[in-house]
Every structure is written in structure tokens, then in C-alpha cells.
Amino acid sequence: MTYKIIKLSLVFLFVTNLSYAQWNKGKGNGYYKLSASSLVADEHYTSTKDKDPNITRGNFVVSAYAEYGLTEKFDVIAYVPLLARVYQNKQVSRTSGNVINDGESVNSIGDIDLGIRYGILKNDFLALSATLKLGLPTGKKSGGLDGSLQTGDGEFNQGVQLDLGIPYKIGNQNMYGKIYSGFNNRTNGFSDEFQFGGEIGTKFNDKVFLAVKSANVRSFNNGDATGTGQGVFANNVEFTNLSGEIGYYISSKLGVTFNYTTILSGKITYAAPTYSGGVFLDIQ
């Protein structure tokens, strides 16, 4: 259970991609992003929320994310981790200099997320939408000598989520706020999850986008999956994170982003920050 790393990165990336408050895109409009993220950790949160050291492990993901407006009410969403690299550094004795554990790595595609969003309500005061998300078991569920280097958990999950966004002003500056909550049904004996979070953001001179976000996952602890404690996709993972994101529009449609995410608390997950950056195309 000390090696829960890919799931954290994929969940965070899927729900916090740069998209203006998750308002529906509108027919023919879209948002497309190619990004990379990195997390390196030498300690983790245990099942009792304490921190323990571990062999240095890392996660590097190159991903593609897309939102496209099929109609004024319906958007389709896709998150595809094109390359998921999970690795472990070699462990060397400080006294003898001997190698205790060799370094190793696994490279493959990760678990793909697909979704569809329906705009329930949208006006000048608020936007309410519902999203159905499907997690496909396209990653590798076992890798490395002990099987703990994984890029997928081997289970098909289904999630539903409600997003409520509100535009507002501080002085003459246009802002937005958003909150969301959702339920993630996991199969193959994995516990179901409650997910919630929020963000606030603004855009300056149609060039610079700033946002502060938080994502949370809580386990229902209702699964009986065993043997996942030593894998990347552990059962009963929980976390609260906080992130800051900045985006810069090079042109009216093309831009770049950078995101820093820190873990405030967790269970069965790494205690280390995630760095990500990417290039996006915003068509509206």
C-alpha cells in the first residue's frame, strides 16, 4: 500500500485540467492539452495517516486530454496517458556501499478515462452540469520483480459527478468559483470512493490564467480486494491535495500551463508534490 502513485496523478489530472470553470464548451468548441507530470517520493502516508520512508519511487506521465462540444448541452471528454513510466531507484547500503535492491522501471500506456458531460443549467449567474466518467483498465496491472510497478489497477470503474460554477467579480476583475462532488464505483473488489473539491480562478487581459484548486478522495472501505497493498493502485486510498495553476495564452487559442500540487494529508499514498506542465489549444 506504500506504492499508490499513478492513481493519484491520473485522478488529479483528469479533474483539474485547465478549463474555465467546467462550463459546457458549446457545439463545435473544444479544449485540447498535451502535458507531462512528474512525482518522486521517498516517503508515504500509511493507513493510519502517518508518514513512513520508502525506497525512492517515481512516476512520469505524458498524457493527452480533450473536451469537445457535441451540442450546446453535451460535451465528450477523454484523458489518455500515452506513456506512464513507473520506476524505483536502486537502494545502496550507507555502510558497505553494496546494492541492496536494484533499480527497475515499467513503461506502458496508462488507464484511459472517457466521459460525457451534460449541461443542466447555464446562465449569467451559475452553471450546473453532470458528468459520467468511465475508467478503462488499459494500463499494466503488474510489473517489476514483485509486481508492484503498475500503470493500471485492472478494474473498470464508473463515476458520476456534479459541478456547480459561479462567475463573480472582485472590483473590476472577473473571477469564477466551482465546487464538485462525485461517486466512483470500482469493480473487482475495490472500495467505492467519494470525490469532492473546488477551485477559484481568474484571467488577466485575456493572456494569463490563474487558479487555486483542491481535490479530495474518501474511501467507503466496502471492498474486499486483497493483495493490492504492495501495488501502484492500492485499495482504500484517501487524500486531500492543494494546487496552484498558471496558464499563458501565446495567442487567442494556443497556450502553455504549469501546475504544482502538494498533498496535505492522505492514506496509502505518497507524501510528495506533483509537477506538471503542458501545451493547450482552446477553441471557442
Side-chain angles (χ1 to χ4, degrees):
M1 66 183 177
T2 66
Y3 303 132
K4 172 65 176 71
I5 177 173
I6 291 284
K7 179 66 174 177
L8 170 61
S9 299
L10 297 191
V11 167
F12 175 75
L13 287 171
F14 188 64
V15 300
T16 61
N17 273 274
L18 178 58
S19 176
Y20 203 77
Q22 297 288 335
W23 267 254
N24 280 78
K25 306 307 294 181
K27 185 176 181 179
N29 297 330
Y31 178 84
Y32 312 94
K33 181 178 179 181
L34 180 66
S35 61
S37 69
S38 177
L39 186 156
V40 180
D42 58 9
E43 61 179 355
H44 62 276
Y45 288 103
T46 67
S47 59
T48 58
K49 297 186 177 181
D50 296 317
K51 288 184 180 180
D52 273 352
N54 53 255
I55 300 173
T56 301
R57 287 203 168 195
N59 163 48
F60 178 76
V61 178
V62 177
S63 63
Y65 177 84
E67 297 181 7
Y68 177 74
L70 289 175
T71 69
E72 293 301 317
K73 289 283 190 178
F74 284 98
D75 296 344
V76 289
I77 307 168
Y79 172 77
V80 182
L82 304 169
L83 169 65
R85 174 179 172 81
V86 183
Y87 60 90
Q88 173 182 297
N89 291 348
K90 67 180 179 181
Q91 188 177 24
V92 180
S93 171
R94 292 182 179 180
T95 56
S96 66
N98 295 329
V99 176
I100 301 174
N101 290 298
D102 290 326
E104 54 182 343
S105 65
V106 169
N107 303 292
S108 76
I109 190 172
D111 281 357
I112 295 173
D113 286 324
L114 301 177
I116 186 165
R117 177 192 299 132
Y118 174 69
I120 300 172
L121 178 64
K122 180 181 179 181
N123 55 41
D124 293 337
F125 304 102
L126 59 88
L128 177 65
S129 63
T131 303
L132 171 67
K133 295 184 287 187
L134 304 177
L136 309 181
T138 50
K140 190 173 183 178
K141 67 177 182 179
S142 179
L145 293 177
D146 62 0
S148 66
L149 295 180
Q150 302 164 276
T151 61
D153 56 13
E155 60 97 9
F156 171 63
N157 59 285
Q158 315 90 45
V160 290
Q161 180 175 305
L162 283 176
D163 292 83
L164 176 65
I166 301 174
Y168 62 96
K169 280 191 174 184
I170 296 181
N172 294 323
Q173 184 64 40
N174 291 321
M175 308 282 293
Y176 78 85
K178 188 193 78 170
I179 56 175
Y180 72 88
S181 63
F183 173 78
N184 185 33
N185 177 64
R186 304 184 73 190
T187 59
N188 290 353
F190 284 82
S191 294
D192 301 324
E193 296 171 336
F194 175 56
Q195 302 173 355
F196 63 97
E199 66 181 85
I200 56 174
T202 188
K203 192 175 181 181
F204 297 94
N205 300 320
D206 292 326
K207 283 290 186 179
V208 179
F209 176 91
L210 296 175
V212 177
K213 312 178 183 185
S214 178
N216 303 265
V217 170
R218 298 292 181 266
S219 174
F220 282 89
N221 296 295
N222 59 351
D224 57 4
T226 59
T228 68
Q230 297 301 317
V232 172
F233 288 83
N235 196 17
N236 297 319
V237 171
E238 297 187 353
F239 65 83
T240 295
N241 67 29
L242 181 67
S243 69
E245 184 164 350
I246 181 170
Y248 178 75
Y249 281 77
I250 299 171
S251 68
S252 61
K253 298 179 180 180
L254 181 67
V256 294
T257 67
F258 176 77
N259 186 293
Y260 171 82
T261 302
T262 185
I263 303 299
L264 301 180
S265 65
K267 292 174 61 177
I268 320 177
T269 189
Y270 277 134
T274 299
Y275 302 86
S276 62
V279 180
F280 67 86
L281 186 64
D282 190 1
I283 299 175
Q284 53 185 316

